Amino acid sequence: MKIYIVYDSENGHTEALARSIYEGADSHKFAEVTLRHVDEARPEHLAEADAIIWGCPGHFGTISAGLKNFIDRLGYLWAHGKLINKIGAVFCTTATVHGGLEATMISLITPMLHQGMIIVGLPGNLPENALYGSYYGLGVTCPVEASPDDPPNLPSENDLALGRALGHRVAQVTQAMVKN
């Protein structure tokens, strides 16, 4: 089964999360996983995938311009039903607590629903998700650095564990769907 991960990242925060999702999906023995920055991703490759995971930094509670531009180029796939019944999942990062994580995830899910995709989130029974409490996908807060010269406040180990859990869950659900 093929899993395609597309992400936008400006300072490495969302890229670190995308890589953890890749690791989780890639840990499934039947998964062939592709990870692409939005600048390298091609919309037509999504038609070949069984599952699609996309994510970005949240900008004021919505999708970053880079990923939005990519999503806006999916009209041909929509018009021809190329993504119907594919598994979809989303992720995002924000710089502040209450920075719009869930609003951004819902904004990321909406185009998937328009495409006829089946959305997979994180269940509440994951120990790493006990305090997180959002089931739309994976969203983490990486506080703004005190100075532009400081190294980036990358996702915590718990955040990365949730990323691996999301990737693995998408692979499990995709295998169940592809097998049938």
Side-chain angles (χ1 to χ4, degrees):
M1 70 189 148
K2 294 181 179 183
I3 301 172
Y4 199 89
I5 303 169
V6 179
Y7 70 94
D8 189 13
S9 187
E10 296 156 1
N11 296 309
H13 305 93
T14 311
E15 179 179 1
L17 203 55
R19 290 188 182 285
S20 72
I21 293 167
Y22 172 91
E23 290 170 10
D26 195 51
S27 71
H28 193 285
K29 66 181 179 177
F30 297 115
E32 177 186 324
V33 187
T34 301
L35 177 66
R36 293 282 181 266
H37 185 275
V38 70
D39 292 340
E40 302 166 340
R42 298 186 53 190
E44 59 270 21
H45 291 162
L46 299 183
E48 301 164 9
D50 300 301
I52 300 160
I53 306 169
W54 61 43
C56 64
H59 288 181
F60 307 105
T62 193
I63 305 171
S64 69
L67 187 59
K68 180 71 167 89
N69 181 41
F70 177 80
I71 291 169
D72 285 347
R73 296 187 346 240
L74 302 181
Y76 176 85
L77 298 176
W78 171 82
H80 296 281
K82 298 289 187 182
L83 303 184
I84 292 172
N85 292 331
K86 294 189 184 287
I87 302 300
V90 301
F91 62 100
C92 69
T93 59
T94 60
T96 59
V97 176
H98 308 296
L101 287 172
E102 289 185 346
T104 301
M105 285 187 281
I106 290 169
S107 295
L108 288 166
I109 289 170
T110 301
M112 289 183 164
L113 292 171
H114 280 255
Q115 294 282 353
M117 296 173 66
I118 301 164
I119 309 305
V120 172
L122 282 170
N125 67 341
L126 291 174
E128 299 89 354
N129 202 29
L131 294 176
Y132 172 61
S134 180
Y135 312 106
Y136 306 111
L138 176 57
V140 301
T141 301
C142 300
V144 173
E145 292 76 18
S147 162
D149 299 326
D150 289 346
N153 290 322
L154 295 175
S156 70
E157 182 49 45
N158 188 68
D159 298 335
L160 299 175
L162 282 167
R164 289 187 293 273
L166 179 64
H168 190 72
R169 178 165 163 75
V170 168
Q172 287 177 314
V173 171
T174 303
Q175 181 189 16
M177 294 293 289
V178 169
K179 196 163 68 170
N180 292 325

